[in-house]
Amino acid sequence: MATAFAAGYLFGRFTVSMLNFMIDLSHAENQIHYVTNFQDLIATPLSGVMNAICWSRNLAGDFSEIVNKVALSGNITAVEPEELGELQLSEQGQLAREILLQDWKLLEDFGASPVLNVIRYYDQDDTYPFFPTDVYSFHVDRAPIPVDTFLCTYYGESSEILPNAQGKKKVLIPEIREELKKLYQGPEEGFETFLSEHCFDLHYQAEPDARPISLGLGNLWRLAVDHPGSQVPPCLHRAPREKSGQSRLLMIC
């Protein structure tokens, strides 16, 4: 858990602002709850339809400098704290690094395993063109134990969530289900297992009038995961399409 020192340090260094969220989110059906510190982010229980909690922050520092200084290896590069510490940065870059390291420590102290990635793009799934199962599709996360997903975009395009009422499980859409049955070609009693094993049952299609919600930059989110015993519906989310030539800086666990 976060120490009192860490929580106080963060609150002092960050300018917390709700201005980014002074928009009409009534279509989210009270799914999103906003907090102003890490302790409330991890301690607030998910309940009812509330399946996303946001620690709203305006962060100081130049995160683009870190993206530009990291030695990239492939389309996704994992950055370790030691590598961050070795980067030669300007004053604004150093501020950004402090925030990244502090976020990393908060999540680790909580018991999570954060990963910091510089993302040029994700691999796209073209195995079944009529049903891609990559992260650009609205999906939910699944785990065998009680756990939540934490993520924060510091630079680049940010992820989106979709109100559950505005998405439909793709495997329940008749025409898609028929195509999947043609692909399966096995006994009826094994069809649901087939859907689960190939992660088809994790993906959702947005309704025509859906209004996805951007998670914004600098905000640390906690999203509900599909796991045994969960008391809330899992949060529908997707990765954004990256802008050409612009990488993302994302912490996730």
Side-chain angles (χ1 to χ4, degrees):
M1 295 294 180
T3 64
F5 170 78
Y9 172 87
L10 281 168
F11 195 79
R13 293 302 300 267
F14 297 156
T15 302
V16 179
S17 171
M18 297 302 290
L19 294 178
N20 290 337
F21 301 101
M22 294 178 65
I23 56 177
D24 179 16
L25 292 179
S26 58
H27 61 288
E29 299 182 340
N30 301 315
Q31 284 184 229
I32 302 173
H33 178 70
Y34 296 101
V35 298
T36 58
N37 58 75
F38 185 77
Q39 187 60 37
D40 287 345
L41 179 71
I42 61 175
T44 302
L46 298 170
S47 61
V49 298
M50 186 181 77
N51 62 5
I53 302 178
C54 172
W55 177 12
S56 168
R57 312 184 297 181
N58 281 340
L59 303 183
D62 185 355
F63 293 92
S64 67
E65 184 179 355
I66 291 176
V67 170
N68 293 330
K69 289 287 181 70
V70 168
L72 301 182
S73 56
N75 55 316
I76 300 177
T77 302
V79 186
E80 298 296 331
E82 295 76 14
E83 183 179 356
L84 274 178
E86 293 170 357
L87 295 178
Q88 298 299 311
L89 301 170
S90 68
E91 182 177 342
Q92 287 299 308
Q94 291 176 44
L95 284 175
R97 175 168 57 197
E98 285 184 48
I99 292 168
L100 291 171
L101 292 174
Q102 191 65 26
D103 282 356
W104 193 301
K105 185 176 187 305
L106 285 173
L107 290 165
E108 274 198 333
D109 288 349
F110 172 61
S113 300
V115 176
L116 181 65
N117 287 328
V118 176
I119 304 164
R120 294 172 58 206
Y121 59 88
Y122 290 104
D123 289 330
Q124 292 186 243
D125 175 29
D126 57 3
T127 307
Y128 310 109
F130 76 98
F131 198 142
T133 56
D134 53 53
V135 294
Y136 294 114
S137 164
F138 279 115
H139 63 281
V140 300
D141 296 332
R142 176 184 290 154
I145 59 174
V147 68
D148 300 313
T149 293
F150 290 84
L151 74 159
C152 178
T153 304
Y154 302 91
Y155 181 76
E157 297 298 296
S158 63
S159 303
E160 294 180 320
I161 61 177
L162 183 70
N164 287 60
Q166 297 181 14
K168 186 170 185 178
K169 207 174 224 188
K170 284 187 174 182
V171 297
L172 298 180
I173 298 174
E175 55 269 28
I176 293 179
R177 195 171 183 85
E178 284 305 309
E179 289 299 317
L180 288 170
K181 285 184 175 180
K182 293 177 186 177
L183 180 66
Y184 170 56
Q185 295 183 337
E188 183 63 30
E189 59 270 20
F191 184 55
E192 296 300 327
T193 299
F194 164 78
L195 297 178
S196 178
E197 287 178 346
H198 289 80
C199 299
F200 291 127
D201 60 335
L202 299 181
H203 289 260
Y204 288 72
Q205 181 168 294
E207 299 289 356
D209 59 348
R211 297 167 62 188
I213 300 161
S214 171
L215 301 192
L217 293 178
N219 306 312
L220 184 54
W221 288 81
R222 173 183 160 204
L223 307 181
V225 168
D226 179 21
H227 63 76
S230 176
Q231 301 299 305
V232 299
C235 186
L236 281 56
H237 61 286
R238 71 178 176 188
R241 296 288 178 179
E242 297 82 4
K243 286 184 178 177
S244 178
Q246 183 188 72
S247 297
R248 301 175 65 211
L249 184 62
L250 173 76
M251 188 175 292
I252 188 167
C253 52

